Amino acid sequence: MNVIIAGFGTIGQSFVQLLMNHKEFLKKAYGMVTKVVAIVDSKGAAVSQRGLDLNLVMRCKREYGTVAKVPSVGYEMSFLEAIQSVEANVLIEATYTNLTNGEPGMTHILTALQLGLNVVTVNKGPLALAMPMLKEIAEHRKVALKFSGTVGGGLPVLAFARECAKGDKVVKVEGVLNGTTNYILTRMEDGLKFEEALIEAQEKGYAERDPTLDISGMDTACKLVILANEVLGNRVTLKDVRVEGIADIKPEDLKIAKNAGKTIRLIGVAEESEVFVKPLVIDQSDPLAVKYTYNAITLTLENSGRHTITGKGAGGRETATAIIRDLISIKERLVVT
Ligand code: HSE
């Protein structure tokens, strides 16, 4: 399988590292041999149709800050030029989230789908703004559009939902979907001020490039849109979500809740009739009352009740495992078709 990686930040680099570490395992367990034919960052690209030397690419990225400096295969080349000119089966879209127009990821995904490439995205922006349309294009072009890493990091939320839904109907999705805000709320319970807790969350590397996306609830809303489309079959986008963040929560609010055996969590809720994000007071014993950067997603099924999955919802290495998961299912699909 030949892949192009667009965006070479924490997640892109973690993915390449995983690919190198697990090369033999992936070949033995899944017959998966992945050739990275292009990696593009904001300053240029490294391209080799025979497959890049990944150790060398990682070294150059560390030393020079760009893959464009990789000897003999580094070029001044845009994301789009690489997608249009390099022969590949899969585009991995790992550029940053932009909720204004989804760019540059939106154009990368649209171009790749039109060219007949399968797409794995860890970028939530294009899906949050146009998931129903992107899924239709992928279906029409008969290619895969995979996005495990956009919700829950390495936590297999979407696979869990698909499995739960076999023979039953998911009627409601509730989730703590943002590690940064959950970390802040947990640390405020410990007595920290909002600003101090935010700095700690940023130092841990979970916050978005623009942390207001986390605080305002927009990151949770993006993930909720993806879940609502995929798990409930709602054709919604970001504009359909009522969003309230955690900026107004005070340490005193958390203290009052704690004394009553409760806590406050930023929760996304999706049902057929409504989709919203809001800080909610819940029992400390509720499975959604996870701490620090953990995520938790509860599905309510028509017949079998509430099911919850929890785990680390962010982080480069964790999210990179979701890319591997998506590649394995694309590989299985390539073999079948
Ligand atoms: N900023 C996000 C979070 C990263 O804190 O959960 C993972 O999507």
Side-chain angles (χ1 to χ4, degrees):
M1 196 157 35
N2 290 3
V3 308
I4 299 173
I5 304 172
F8 205 43
T10 313
I11 296 175
Q13 291 175 52
S14 300
F15 165 68
V16 164
Q17 196 58 56
L18 270 190
L19 217 48
M20 290 193 289
N21 295 351
H22 298 314
K23 190 175 166 188
E24 289 312 315
F25 163 71
L26 291 171
K27 189 172 171 188
K28 208 166 158 200
Y30 303 100
M32 194 166 98
V33 179
T34 308
K35 207 157 65 168
V36 180
V37 288
I39 300 179
V40 199
D41 63 29
S42 57
K43 299 197 183 92
V47 179
S48 168
Q49 212 57 70
R50 279 184 298 160
L52 290 164
D53 173 344
L54 297 178
N55 272 309
L56 181 63
V57 172
M58 290 290 271
R59 224 170 31 241
C60 288
K61 179 75 180 176
R62 268 195 305 271
E63 269 178 39
Y64 307 112
T66 175
V67 295
K69 296 274 188 203
V70 181
S72 58
V73 295
Y75 305 95
E76 267 186 29
M77 183 186 268
S78 70
F79 290 111
L80 212 50
E81 279 175 290
I83 294 166
Q84 286 169 328
S85 64
V86 179
E87 264 179 55
N89 313 96
V90 183
L91 168 73
I92 296 171
E93 164 48 41
T95 62
Y96 59 92
T97 300
N98 164 357
L99 297 184
T100 308
N101 55 15
E103 297 298 353
M106 183 74 90
T107 301
H108 301 166
I109 293 175
L110 282 170
T111 307
L113 293 177
Q114 297 292 3
L115 289 169
L117 268 75
N118 299 286
V119 172
V120 174
T121 180
V122 285
N123 178 353
K124 299 166 277 239
L127 292 177
L129 296 171
M131 186 157 169
M133 175 193 79
L134 293 173
K135 282 184 73 172
E136 266 173 25
I137 296 174
E139 249 165 58
H140 181 69
R141 302 295 305 175
K142 296 190 170 42
V143 290
L145 172 62
K146 301 293 219 179
F147 38 83
S148 297
T150 56
V151 186
L155 199 61
V157 176
L158 298 170
F160 169 70
R162 269 192 293 273
E163 196 57 33
C164 286
K166 276 185 196 158
D168 206 342
K169 188 179 175 208
V170 183
V171 289
K172 185 175 183 180
V173 180
E174 299 156 278
V176 169
L177 303 169
N178 181 268
T180 303
T181 46
N182 208 58
Y183 185 87
I184 293 172
L185 292 173
T186 312
R187 291 299 278 145
M188 280 165 72
E189 271 169 348
D190 296 341
L192 251 67
K193 291 202 185 92
F194 181 94
E195 294 74 18
E196 293 168 337
L198 171 60
I199 290 170
E200 276 192 12
Q202 285 178 302
E203 281 167 2
K204 292 193 174 290
Y206 291 117
E208 294 297 305
R209 184 196 272 211
D210 171 7
T212 54
L213 289 183
D214 298 296
I215 309 302
S216 65
M218 290 307 274
D219 179 75
T220 301
C222 289
K223 292 166 180 166
L224 197 60
V225 165
I226 295 167
L227 285 168
N229 276 277
E230 194 62 7
V231 179
L232 298 176
N234 291 6
R235 284 178 61 91
V236 289
T237 62
L238 205 51
K239 64 176 173 22
D240 302 306
V241 189
R242 269 191 298 121
V243 190
E244 186 184 323
I246 63 159
D248 294 333
I249 306 286
K250 308 263 174 308
E252 302 82 76
D253 301 326
L254 285 151
K255 206 168 162 191
I256 294 167
K258 196 172 178 177
N259 290 339
K262 297 185 181 287
T263 188
I264 302 173
R265 290 292 178 258
L266 183 66
I267 297 183
V269 179
E271 289 179 275
E272 206 178 306
S273 54
E274 60 174 353
V275 188
F276 66 88
V277 176
K278 200 178 158 129
L280 294 175
V281 178
I282 57 172
D283 282 342
Q284 278 169 18
S285 59
D286 192 299
L288 290 179
V290 285
K291 288 177 179 274
Y292 301 104
T293 50
Y294 272 66
N295 279 196
I297 289 101
T298 297
L299 306 177
T300 304
L301 285 113
E302 203 167 57
N303 299 301
S304 56
R306 286 179 106 209
H307 303 286
T308 302
I309 183 171
T310 71
K312 277 190 182 169
R317 191 155 150 232
E318 291 82 353
T319 309
T321 63
I323 302 180
I324 301 267
R325 197 159 56 225
D326 283 347
L327 286 180
I328 291 169
S329 55
I330 289 176
K331 150 92 185 25
E332 283 161 359
R333 179 187 161 128
L334 286 176
V335 171
V336 173
T337 53

